[in-house]
Amino acid sequence: SYRLHSTARECDRRSPGDGVSALGGRNPGPRHRRVTALVVFTGGFLCACGPDKVFVFQKSDDFNEHHLQRYVLRLCEASPAALVSGRGEHTITTLSLSPGEKTIVAATHTSQIFTNPLPSLEASKLPSLVFSPLHARHHEGGVVDAAACLWKPLLATVGQDRTLRVWDYQRHTLLLTHSFRDDIFSLSLHPTGLHVAVGLTEALKLHHLLFDSVRVYSEVRIRRCGVCCFSPSGHLLAAADGNLLLVTSNLTLKKVFTLKGHSAKVTGVGWYPDSWAVMSCSSDGSVVGWDLRQGQSLWEVNSLSSAKYLTAGLSLDGKPTVLVGHASAFTEITGGQMVREMTYEGSEVVSAGVATVKTLLALGITSGHLLLNSFPLHMAESFTSIPAHSAPITKVVITGDEKKVITCGGDGVVLVWRVAGLTDKSPGFMAARERLEDLPVVPEMLVSRTDLQ
Protein backbone atom coordinates (compact mmCIF):
# COMPACT_ATOMS: atom_id res chain seq x y z
CA SER A 1 0.00 0.00 0.00
CA TYR A 2 1.10 3.60 -0.46
CA ARG A 3 0.03 7.12 0.42
CA LEU A 4 1.51 10.45 -0.54
CA HIS A 5 1.04 13.79 1.20
CA SER A 6 2.14 16.93 -0.62
CA THR A 7 4.58 19.09 1.33
CA ALA A 8 4.86 21.78 -1.32
CA ARG A 9 2.22 23.83 -3.07
CA GLU A 10 2.55 25.43 -6.46
CA CYS A 11 1.23 28.93 -6.83
CA ASP A 12 -1.27 29.75 -9.53
CA ARG A 13 0.38 31.10 -12.66
CA ARG A 14 -0.75 33.24 -15.51
CA SER A 15 0.69 33.50 -18.96
CA PRO A 16 1.93 36.86 -20.25
CA GLY A 17 -1.33 37.25 -22.13
CA ASP A 18 -3.30 37.32 -18.88
CA GLY A 19 -1.79 40.64 -17.81
CA VAL A 20 -2.75 44.12 -19.04
CA SER A 21 -1.11 44.41 -22.43
CA ALA A 22 -1.51 48.16 -23.08
CA LEU A 23 -3.17 51.33 -21.83
CA GLY A 24 -6.07 52.75 -23.79
CA GLY A 25 -6.03 49.91 -26.32
CA ARG A 26 -2.86 51.13 -28.00
CA ASN A 27 -0.40 48.94 -29.82
CA PRO A 28 1.77 47.23 -27.14
CA GLY A 29 4.93 48.05 -29.07
CA PRO A 30 8.36 46.64 -28.24
CA ARG A 31 8.87 44.48 -25.19
CA HIS A 32 10.85 47.11 -23.31
CA ARG A 33 8.03 49.71 -23.63
CA ARG A 34 4.97 47.54 -23.18
CA VAL A 35 2.72 47.90 -20.13
CA THR A 36 2.20 44.39 -18.85
CA ALA A 37 0.41 44.90 -15.50
CA LEU A 38 -1.42 47.61 -13.60
CA VAL A 39 -3.07 47.92 -10.19
CA VAL A 40 -4.78 50.88 -8.50
CA PHE A 41 -4.38 51.87 -4.84
CA THR A 42 -5.53 54.75 -2.69
CA GLY A 43 -3.57 57.76 -3.85
CA GLY A 44 -2.37 56.44 -7.20
CA PHE A 45 -1.52 53.30 -9.18
CA LEU A 46 1.32 50.87 -9.92
CA CYS A 47 2.39 50.17 -13.47
CA ALA A 48 4.74 47.45 -14.74
CA CYS A 49 6.39 48.74 -17.89
CA GLY A 50 9.47 47.05 -19.26
CA PRO A 51 11.45 44.19 -17.76
CA ASP A 52 12.08 44.33 -14.01
CA LYS A 53 10.52 47.76 -13.44
CA VAL A 54 7.46 48.89 -11.48
CA PHE A 55 6.51 52.59 -11.64
CA VAL A 56 4.63 54.21 -8.77
CA PHE A 57 2.33 57.07 -9.83
CA GLN A 58 0.70 59.54 -7.43
CA LYS A 59 -2.48 61.51 -7.98
CA SER A 60 -1.78 65.12 -8.88
CA ASP A 61 -3.70 68.23 -7.93
CA ASP A 62 -2.80 69.69 -11.31
CA PHE A 63 -5.86 69.54 -13.56
CA ASN A 64 -3.67 69.14 -16.66
CA GLU A 65 -1.53 66.37 -15.19
CA HIS A 66 -3.64 63.73 -13.45
CA HIS A 67 -0.76 61.59 -12.11
CA LEU A 68 2.92 62.13 -11.36
CA GLN A 69 5.61 59.46 -11.41
CA ARG A 70 6.91 59.22 -7.85
CA TYR A 71 9.14 56.12 -7.62
CA VAL A 72 10.67 53.40 -9.79
CA LEU A 73 10.99 49.99 -8.14
CA ARG A 74 13.21 47.24 -9.49
CA LEU A 75 12.17 43.61 -9.35
CA CYS A 76 15.71 42.35 -8.74
CA GLU A 77 19.31 43.25 -9.32
CA ALA A 78 20.28 42.80 -12.95
CA SER A 79 22.44 39.80 -13.85
CA PRO A 80 25.71 40.24 -15.79
CA ALA A 81 23.97 39.06 -18.96
CA ALA A 82 21.21 41.63 -18.44
CA LEU A 83 23.74 44.41 -17.89
CA VAL A 84 25.48 43.56 -21.16
CA SER A 85 22.27 43.37 -23.18
CA GLY A 86 20.59 46.32 -21.49
CA ARG A 87 17.50 44.21 -20.86
CA GLY A 88 16.09 42.88 -17.62
CA GLU A 89 15.41 39.25 -16.84
CA HIS A 90 11.70 39.23 -16.05
CA THR A 91 8.52 40.50 -17.63
CA ILE A 92 5.93 41.19 -14.93
CA THR A 93 2.60 39.65 -15.89
CA THR A 94 0.55 40.40 -12.75
CA LEU A 95 0.60 43.00 -9.99
CA SER A 96 -1.46 42.71 -6.83
CA LEU A 97 -1.82 44.49 -3.50
CA SER A 98 -2.63 43.10 -0.07
CA PRO A 99 -6.07 44.10 1.30
CA GLY A 100 -4.45 46.66 3.59
CA GLU A 101 -2.42 48.09 0.69
CA LYS A 102 0.84 47.43 2.53
CA THR A 103 2.50 44.82 0.30
CA ILE A 104 2.99 44.56 -3.47
CA VAL A 105 3.09 41.13 -5.07
CA ALA A 106 4.50 40.72 -8.59
CA ALA A 107 4.36 37.56 -10.74
CA THR A 108 6.60 37.17 -13.79
CA HIS A 109 6.58 35.31 -17.07
CA THR A 110 9.17 32.92 -15.60
CA SER A 111 6.71 31.88 -12.86
CA GLN A 112 8.61 33.73 -10.12
CA ILE A 113 6.86 35.69 -7.35
CA PHE A 114 8.34 38.80 -5.70
CA THR A 115 7.12 41.05 -2.89
CA ASN A 116 7.94 44.53 -1.62
CA PRO A 117 6.32 47.00 0.80
CA LEU A 118 4.18 49.61 -0.90
CA PRO A 119 6.21 52.83 -0.57
CA SER A 120 4.62 55.69 1.31
CA LEU A 121 3.90 58.63 -0.92
CA GLU A 122 4.85 60.98 1.91
CA ALA A 123 8.11 59.29 3.00
CA SER A 124 11.38 61.09 2.38
CA LYS A 125 13.39 57.84 2.49
CA LEU A 126 12.20 54.45 1.27
CA PRO A 127 13.03 51.20 3.06
CA SER A 128 13.64 49.32 -0.21
CA LEU A 129 13.51 49.97 -3.93
CA VAL A 130 14.20 46.34 -4.85
CA PHE A 131 11.70 43.48 -4.54
CA SER A 132 12.50 40.26 -2.65
CA PRO A 133 11.58 36.73 -3.80
CA LEU A 134 8.54 35.37 -1.96
CA HIS A 135 10.28 31.99 -1.67
CA ALA A 136 13.38 30.33 -3.10
CA ARG A 137 13.75 31.18 -6.76
CA HIS A 138 13.24 28.10 -8.87
CA HIS A 139 14.41 27.44 -12.42
CA GLU A 140 13.43 29.83 -15.19
CA GLY A 141 12.43 27.19 -17.71
CA GLY A 142 12.19 23.44 -17.46
CA VAL A 143 14.23 21.22 -15.17
CA VAL A 144 16.56 19.07 -17.29
CA ASP A 145 17.80 16.57 -14.69
CA ALA A 146 17.82 15.99 -10.94
CA ALA A 147 19.59 13.73 -8.45
CA ALA A 148 19.29 13.11 -4.70
CA CYS A 149 22.15 12.53 -2.30
CA LEU A 150 22.26 9.14 -0.60
CA TRP A 151 23.73 10.29 2.75
CA LYS A 152 22.38 13.86 3.06
CA PRO A 153 18.96 15.47 2.52
CA LEU A 154 20.23 17.20 -0.62
CA LEU A 155 18.72 17.46 -4.08
CA ALA A 156 20.58 18.87 -7.07
CA THR A 157 18.71 20.11 -10.14
CA VAL A 158 19.85 21.59 -13.45
CA GLY A 159 17.64 23.51 -15.84
CA GLN A 160 17.26 25.08 -19.21
CA ASP A 161 18.33 28.37 -17.62
CA ARG A 162 21.87 26.89 -17.38
CA THR A 163 21.88 26.86 -13.60
CA LEU A 164 22.68 24.23 -10.99
CA ARG A 165 20.60 24.50 -7.84
CA VAL A 166 21.14 22.56 -4.63
CA TRP A 167 18.18 22.15 -2.27
CA ASP A 168 17.62 20.85 1.25
CA TYR A 169 14.47 18.81 0.65
CA GLN A 170 13.75 18.37 4.36
CA ARG A 171 13.77 22.09 5.15
CA HIS A 172 12.49 23.06 1.69
CA THR A 173 15.24 25.64 1.22
CA LEU A 174 17.54 26.58 -1.64
CA LEU A 175 21.17 26.27 -0.52
CA LEU A 176 23.15 27.14 -3.63
CA THR A 177 22.76 28.43 -7.18
CA HIS A 178 25.54 28.28 -9.75
CA SER A 179 25.31 29.50 -13.35
CA PHE A 180 27.07 27.95 -16.34
CA ARG A 181 27.81 29.43 -19.74
CA ASP A 182 26.93 26.23 -21.60
CA ASP A 183 23.76 24.18 -21.87
CA ILE A 184 23.40 21.43 -19.28
CA PHE A 185 22.37 17.90 -20.25
CA SER A 186 22.77 15.74 -17.12
CA LEU A 187 24.04 15.58 -13.56
CA SER A 188 24.78 13.15 -10.75
CA LEU A 189 25.26 13.85 -7.04
CA HIS A 190 27.92 11.95 -5.10
CA PRO A 191 26.61 9.82 -2.18
CA THR A 192 28.52 12.02 0.30
CA GLY A 193 27.07 15.22 -1.15
CA LEU A 194 30.59 16.61 -1.54
CA HIS A 195 30.87 16.29 -5.33
CA VAL A 196 28.61 16.75 -8.34
CA ALA A 197 29.08 15.75 -11.98
CA VAL A 198 27.52 18.04 -14.59
CA GLY A 199 27.23 17.16 -18.28
CA LEU A 200 27.96 20.30 -20.32
CA THR A 201 28.35 21.00 -24.02
CA GLU A 202 32.11 20.47 -24.15
CA ALA A 203 32.70 17.92 -21.37
CA LEU A 204 31.39 16.13 -18.32
CA LYS A 205 32.86 18.18 -15.48
CA LEU A 206 33.36 17.04 -11.89
CA HIS A 207 32.92 19.70 -9.21
CA HIS A 208 33.58 19.99 -5.51
CA LEU A 209 30.34 21.06 -3.85
CA LEU A 210 31.37 23.75 -1.37
CA PHE A 211 29.13 25.41 1.19
CA ASP A 212 28.55 28.45 -1.03
CA SER A 213 29.86 27.54 -4.50
CA VAL A 214 31.07 24.76 -6.80
CA ARG A 215 34.59 24.34 -8.19
CA VAL A 216 35.82 22.11 -11.01
CA TYR A 217 38.44 19.54 -10.08
CA SER A 218 38.38 17.21 -13.10
CA GLU A 219 36.58 16.50 -16.34
CA VAL A 220 35.74 13.60 -18.65
CA ARG A 221 35.93 14.37 -22.36
CA ILE A 222 32.32 13.53 -23.27
CA ARG A 223 30.41 16.11 -25.27
CA ARG A 224 26.74 16.60 -24.38
CA CYS A 225 26.67 13.68 -21.96
CA GLY A 226 22.98 12.81 -21.62
CA VAL A 227 23.20 10.52 -18.59
CA CYS A 228 25.72 9.96 -15.79
CA CYS A 229 25.58 8.34 -12.37
CA PHE A 230 27.90 7.91 -9.39
CA SER A 231 28.05 4.43 -7.88
CA PRO A 232 26.41 3.92 -4.44
CA SER A 233 29.89 3.60 -2.90
CA GLY A 234 30.99 6.79 -4.65
CA HIS A 235 34.31 5.58 -6.05
CA LEU A 236 33.09 5.12 -9.65
CA LEU A 237 31.22 7.24 -12.18
CA ALA A 238 29.40 5.79 -15.18
CA ALA A 239 28.61 8.10 -18.11
CA ALA A 240 27.12 7.64 -21.56
CA ASP A 241 29.24 8.56 -24.58
CA GLY A 242 27.06 7.83 -27.59
CA ASN A 243 26.58 4.06 -27.70
CA LEU A 244 29.46 3.52 -25.24
CA LEU A 245 29.43 3.44 -21.46
CA LEU A 246 32.50 4.96 -19.81
CA VAL A 247 33.36 4.07 -16.22
CA THR A 248 35.78 6.44 -14.47
CA SER A 249 37.41 6.18 -11.06
CA ASN A 250 36.57 9.06 -8.77
CA LEU A 251 39.73 8.29 -6.78
CA THR A 252 42.37 8.20 -9.53
CA LEU A 253 40.33 10.36 -11.94
CA LYS A 254 41.23 7.94 -14.73
CA LYS A 255 39.11 5.86 -17.08
CA VAL A 256 38.61 2.30 -15.84
CA PHE A 257 36.47 0.71 -18.59
CA THR A 258 34.95 1.57 -21.94
CA LEU A 259 32.01 -0.81 -22.23
CA LYS A 260 30.78 -1.69 -25.73
CA GLY A 261 27.55 -3.56 -26.26
CA HIS A 262 24.87 -1.12 -27.45
CA SER A 263 24.25 -0.31 -31.09
CA ALA A 264 22.41 2.94 -30.32
CA LYS A 265 22.65 5.87 -27.91
CA VAL A 266 22.80 4.97 -24.21
CA THR A 267 19.79 6.56 -22.51
CA GLY A 268 19.86 5.21 -18.94
CA VAL A 269 22.34 4.05 -16.29
CA GLY A 270 21.82 2.33 -12.92
CA TRP A 271 24.00 0.55 -10.36
CA TYR A 272 23.90 -2.61 -8.33
CA PRO A 273 23.68 -1.64 -4.62
CA ASP A 274 27.20 -2.95 -3.89
CA SER A 275 28.70 -1.11 -6.92
CA TRP A 276 30.34 -4.17 -8.48
CA ALA A 277 28.04 -4.07 -11.51
CA VAL A 278 26.30 -1.38 -13.55
CA MET A 279 23.28 -1.54 -15.86
CA SER A 280 22.59 0.48 -18.98
CA CYS A 281 19.87 0.78 -21.60
CA SER A 282 19.83 2.31 -25.08
CA SER A 283 17.32 3.64 -27.57
CA ASP A 284 17.46 0.39 -29.56
CA GLY A 285 15.80 -1.40 -26.61
CA SER A 286 18.82 -3.34 -25.35
CA VAL A 287 19.45 -3.55 -21.58
CA VAL A 288 22.85 -4.81 -20.43
CA GLY A 289 24.27 -5.65 -17.01
CA TRP A 290 28.04 -5.15 -16.78
CA ASP A 291 30.42 -6.96 -14.43
CA LEU A 292 33.02 -4.36 -13.43
CA ARG A 293 35.31 -6.96 -11.91
CA GLN A 294 35.91 -8.38 -15.38
CA GLY A 295 34.84 -5.47 -17.59
CA GLN A 296 32.39 -7.58 -19.59
CA SER A 297 28.66 -8.12 -19.95
CA LEU A 298 26.94 -10.03 -17.19
CA TRP A 299 23.53 -10.40 -18.84
CA GLU A 300 21.62 -8.85 -21.73
CA VAL A 301 17.95 -8.35 -22.63
CA ASN A 302 17.18 -7.46 -26.25
CA SER A 303 13.42 -8.05 -26.50
CA LEU A 304 12.36 -4.40 -25.98
CA SER A 305 11.50 -2.11 -28.87
CA SER A 306 13.15 0.91 -27.23
CA ALA A 307 14.30 2.20 -23.85
CA LYS A 308 14.25 5.85 -22.79
CA TYR A 309 14.74 5.69 -19.00
CA LEU A 310 16.07 3.28 -16.38
CA THR A 311 15.73 3.12 -12.62
CA ALA A 312 17.42 0.48 -10.47
CA GLY A 313 16.95 -1.01 -7.01
CA LEU A 314 17.16 -4.16 -4.92
CA SER A 315 14.15 -6.47 -4.74
CA LEU A 316 12.80 -7.67 -1.41
CA ASP A 317 14.45 -11.07 -1.97
CA GLY A 318 17.84 -9.40 -2.51
CA LYS A 319 18.10 -9.45 -6.30
CA PRO A 320 19.09 -6.42 -8.38
CA THR A 321 16.01 -5.18 -10.19
CA VAL A 322 15.55 -2.53 -12.84
CA LEU A 323 12.57 -0.82 -14.47
CA VAL A 324 13.10 0.17 -18.10
CA GLY A 325 10.58 1.98 -20.23
CA HIS A 326 9.71 3.95 -23.32
CA ALA A 327 6.52 5.81 -24.26
CA SER A 328 3.61 3.98 -22.59
CA ALA A 329 5.34 0.62 -21.95
CA PHE A 330 7.73 -0.31 -19.13
CA THR A 331 9.38 -3.58 -18.18
CA GLU A 332 10.65 -5.08 -14.94
CA ILE A 333 13.96 -6.96 -15.16
CA THR A 334 15.16 -8.84 -12.06
CA GLY A 335 18.36 -10.86 -11.85
CA GLY A 336 18.99 -10.34 -15.56
CA GLN A 337 15.62 -11.85 -16.54
CA MET A 338 12.60 -10.00 -17.93
CA VAL A 339 9.87 -10.59 -15.36
CA ARG A 340 6.84 -8.60 -16.45
CA GLU A 341 5.79 -5.89 -18.89
CA MET A 342 3.07 -3.31 -18.35
CA THR A 343 1.55 -0.40 -20.26
CA TYR A 344 -0.24 2.80 -19.34
CA GLU A 345 -2.80 3.97 -21.85
CA GLY A 346 -2.81 7.73 -21.82
CA SER A 347 0.08 10.17 -21.72
CA GLU A 348 3.64 9.13 -22.45
CA VAL A 349 5.76 8.12 -19.46
CA VAL A 350 8.93 10.23 -19.28
CA SER A 351 10.57 9.23 -15.99
CA ALA A 352 10.17 6.64 -13.25
CA GLY A 353 11.17 6.00 -9.66
CA VAL A 354 10.99 2.78 -7.65
CA ALA A 355 10.90 2.37 -3.86
CA THR A 356 11.49 -1.37 -3.59
CA VAL A 357 11.16 -1.63 0.20
CA LYS A 358 7.94 0.39 0.32
CA THR A 359 6.75 -1.37 -2.87
CA LEU A 360 6.01 1.93 -4.61
CA LEU A 361 6.20 2.76 -8.31
CA ALA A 362 6.07 6.45 -9.28
CA LEU A 363 5.82 7.52 -12.93
CA GLY A 364 6.03 11.01 -14.41
CA ILE A 365 4.02 11.61 -17.58
CA THR A 366 3.80 14.32 -20.22
CA SER A 367 0.49 15.69 -18.90
CA GLY A 368 2.23 16.70 -15.67
CA HIS A 369 0.47 14.10 -13.53
CA LEU A 370 2.21 11.73 -11.13
CA LEU A 371 1.15 8.10 -11.48
CA LEU A 372 1.34 5.75 -8.49
CA ASN A 373 1.16 1.98 -8.34
CA SER A 374 2.72 -0.96 -6.52
CA PHE A 375 6.06 -2.58 -7.32
CA PRO A 376 7.05 -5.31 -8.27
CA LEU A 377 4.69 -5.23 -11.21
CA HIS A 378 2.92 -8.45 -10.24
CA MET A 379 1.49 -6.44 -7.30
CA ALA A 380 0.36 -3.56 -9.54
CA GLU A 381 -3.31 -2.76 -9.90
CA SER A 382 -4.95 0.35 -11.32
CA PHE A 383 -2.94 3.57 -11.39
CA THR A 384 -3.60 6.50 -9.07
CA SER A 385 -3.16 9.78 -10.95
CA ILE A 386 -2.23 12.95 -8.99
CA PRO A 387 -2.09 16.41 -10.63
CA ALA A 388 1.42 17.74 -10.00
CA HIS A 389 2.88 20.05 -12.67
CA SER A 390 1.54 22.40 -15.33
CA ALA A 391 4.05 20.95 -17.85
CA PRO A 392 5.48 17.45 -18.48
CA ILE A 393 7.26 15.84 -15.54
CA THR A 394 10.91 15.59 -16.58
CA LYS A 395 12.32 13.70 -13.60
CA VAL A 396 11.08 11.51 -10.74
CA VAL A 397 13.49 10.94 -7.84
CA ILE A 398 12.98 8.73 -4.79
CA THR A 399 15.30 9.48 -1.89
CA GLY A 400 17.59 6.80 -0.46
CA ASP A 401 15.51 6.38 2.70
CA GLU A 402 12.33 6.13 0.55
CA LYS A 403 10.63 8.81 2.66
CA LYS A 404 10.27 11.32 -0.17
CA VAL A 405 9.26 11.32 -3.82
CA ILE A 406 10.53 14.37 -5.69
CA THR A 407 9.16 15.44 -9.06
CA CYS A 408 10.62 18.05 -11.41
CA GLY A 409 8.77 19.51 -14.36
CA GLY A 410 9.06 21.47 -17.54
CA ASP A 411 7.47 24.35 -15.60
CA GLY A 412 10.67 24.72 -13.56
CA VAL A 413 8.99 23.66 -10.32
CA VAL A 414 10.34 21.09 -7.85
CA LEU A 415 7.72 19.30 -5.72
CA VAL A 416 8.49 17.17 -2.66
CA TRP A 417 6.01 14.46 -1.65
CA ARG A 418 6.07 12.54 1.62
CA VAL A 419 5.72 8.76 1.44
CA ALA A 420 3.76 7.17 4.28
CA GLY A 421 5.59 4.83 6.63
CA LEU A 422 5.37 1.06 6.66
CA THR A 423 3.12 -1.01 8.92
CA ASP A 424 3.95 -4.42 10.37
CA LYS A 425 1.76 -5.93 7.64
CA SER A 426 3.69 -4.31 4.77
CA PRO A 427 5.72 -6.70 2.55
CA GLY A 428 8.91 -4.70 3.13
CA PHE A 429 8.57 -4.23 6.90
CA MET A 430 11.47 -6.54 7.78
CA ALA A 431 13.68 -5.34 4.92
CA ALA A 432 13.21 -1.72 6.04
CA ARG A 433 15.14 -2.38 9.25
CA GLU A 434 18.22 -3.47 7.31
CA ARG A 435 18.10 -1.09 4.35
CA LEU A 436 16.45 2.15 5.45
CA GLU A 437 17.18 2.64 9.14
CA ASP A 438 20.99 2.40 9.17
CA LEU A 439 21.94 4.72 6.33
CA PRO A 440 25.14 6.69 7.02
CA VAL A 441 24.85 10.39 7.81
CA VAL A 442 27.55 12.79 6.57
CA PRO A 443 26.94 16.29 8.01
CA GLU A 444 30.33 17.64 6.88
CA MET A 445 30.68 20.08 4.00
CA LEU A 446 33.66 21.29 1.98
CA VAL A 447 35.16 24.71 2.65
CA SER A 448 38.07 26.13 0.66
CA ARG A 449 41.18 27.31 2.50
CA THR A 450 40.76 30.87 1.21
CA ASP A 451 37.25 31.05 2.69
CA LEU A 452 38.65 30.20 6.12
CA GLN A 453 41.26 32.95 6.03
Side-chain angles (χ1 to χ4, degrees):
S1 63
Y2 53 85
R3 298 193 306 275
L4 290 182
H5 309 278
S6 177
T7 57
R9 295 179 180 272
E10 181 182 359
C11 294
D12 182 31
R13 299 183 179 83
R14 296 184 182 181
S15 64
D18 291 332
V20 179
S21 60
L23 290 175
R26 296 179 182 176
N27 190 330
R31 175 176 176 265
H32 62 281
R33 292 194 308 230
R34 188 178 63 200
V35 175
T36 56
L38 185 146
V39 64
V40 178
F41 67 94
T42 303
F45 68 91
L46 302 173
C47 171
C49 184
D52 285 348
K53 291 183 180 179
V54 176
F55 296 86
V56 182
F57 287 87
Q58 180 181 5
K59 288 182 180 179
S60 172
D61 295 331
D62 188 347
F63 178 79
N64 297 319
E65 193 170 25
H66 297 287
H67 290 84
L68 296 173
Q69 179 183 317
R70 186 65 188 273
Y71 308 116
V72 178
L73 309 179
R74 292 197 63 86
L75 203 61
C76 58
E77 296 296 341
S79 66
L83 292 174
V84 172
S85 64
R87 294 288 187 88
E89 291 183 318
H90 305 88
T91 297
I92 299 173
T93 58
T94 305
L95 283 174
S96 181
L97 283 171
S98 62
E101 295 188 349
K102 294 183 178 180
T103 304
I104 312 170
V105 180
T108 72
H109 77 292
T110 57
S111 301
Q112 310 286 342
I113 300 178
F114 297 85
T115 65
N116 196 60
L118 178 65
S120 171
L121 298 178
E122 307 300 329
S124 58
K125 185 177 180 180
L126 297 179
S128 175
L129 291 174
V130 181
F131 281 72
S132 301
L134 179 63
H135 51 79
R137 291 180 62 178
H138 48 77
H139 289 283
E140 299 173 11
V143 178
V144 175
D145 201 0
C149 178
L150 186 60
W151 299 345
K152 289 180 181 177
L154 298 182
L155 175 78
T157 59
V158 289
Q160 295 174 346
D161 56 359
R162 297 181 175 180
T163 63
L164 163 70
R165 298 173 190 261
V166 181
W167 313 78
D168 184 328
Y169 59 76
Q170 287 186 349
R171 299 180 181 178
H172 307 140
T173 56
L174 177 63
L175 303 178
L176 171 67
T177 300
H178 182 80
S179 298
F180 294 91
R181 295 183 178 180
D182 299 333
D183 291 335
I184 308 174
F185 300 90
S186 63
L187 95 157
S188 180
L189 194 56
H190 194 270
T192 62
L194 301 179
H195 316 284
V196 61
V198 182
L200 301 171
T201 303
E202 295 298 326
L204 174 64
K205 296 192 176 183
L206 310 182
H207 301 76
H208 291 308
L209 188 57
L210 306 180
F211 80 102
D212 64 347
S213 63
V214 296
R215 296 187 182 178
V216 177
Y217 67 88
S218 184
E219 66 178 39
V220 182
R221 283 294 176 180
I222 301 177
R223 288 178 53 86
R224 302 173 182 268
C225 177
V227 58
C228 61
C229 187
F230 281 107
S231 64
S233 60
H235 70 291
L236 296 174
L237 173 68
D241 184 9
N243 61 347
L244 305 176
L245 184 66
L246 271 60
V247 180
T248 305
S249 171
N250 200 38
L251 302 177
T252 64
L253 303 179
K254 296 181 179 180
K255 183 172 64 177
V256 180
F257 293 111
T258 299
L259 303 175
K260 304 177 182 179
H262 296 287
S263 58
K265 182 179 179 180
V266 175
T267 54
V269 176
W271 286 90
Y272 277 37
D274 51 10
S275 301
W276 68 270
V278 65
M279 297 166 284
S280 60
C281 67
S282 66
S283 56
D284 63 357
S286 62
V287 185
V288 182
W290 304 94
D291 185 347
L292 296 185
R293 297 168 299 187
Q294 305 293 330
Q296 60 187 15
S297 62
L298 188 65
W299 51 264
E300 189 170 350
V301 175
N302 291 307
S303 57
L304 308 181
S305 60
S306 184
K308 187 176 181 180
Y309 57 86
L310 179 151
T311 181
L314 189 67
S315 65
L316 291 178
D317 57 358
K319 296 180 180 179
T321 185
V322 60
L323 185 79
V324 184
H326 173 73
S328 61
F330 43 94
T331 304
E332 175 191 350
I333 300 173
T334 301
Q337 301 293 324
M338 189 170 68
V339 177
R340 190 178 295 266
E341 187 174 6
M342 193 172 179
T343 60
Y344 173 75
E345 298 300 333
S347 299
E348 179 182 349
V349 178
V350 180
S351 181
V354 171
T356 54
V357 174
K358 293 190 175 180
T359 62
L360 173 66
L361 170 64
L363 303 176
I365 59 178
T366 54
S367 67
H369 284 223
L370 177 65
L371 301 180
L372 302 176
N373 214 323
S374 297
F375 188 86
L377 294 183
H378 73 267
M379 299 173 56
E381 298 177 351
S382 59
F383 282 96
T384 300
S385 179
I386 302 176
H389 294 263
S390 60
I393 293 179
T394 56
K395 189 70 176 183
V396 175
V397 178
I398 296 182
T399 59
D401 57 8
E402 299 188 3
K403 292 182 180 180
K404 299 288 192 299
V405 174
I406 302 172
T407 58
C408 307
D411 51 6
V413 175
V414 178
L415 294 179
V416 181
W417 308 80
R418 178 167 56 87
V419 182
L422 296 172
T423 66
D424 54 1
K425 296 182 179 179
S426 302
F429 181 73
M430 297 301 295
R433 296 182 179 181
E434 300 178 2
R435 302 187 195 176
L436 305 182
E437 295 180 2
D438 297 325
L439 291 175
V441 178
V442 183
E444 292 80 13
M445 63 178 63
L446 293 179
V447 181
S448 65
R449 184 180 297 275
T450 56
D451 292 329
L452 292 177
Q453 296 175 350

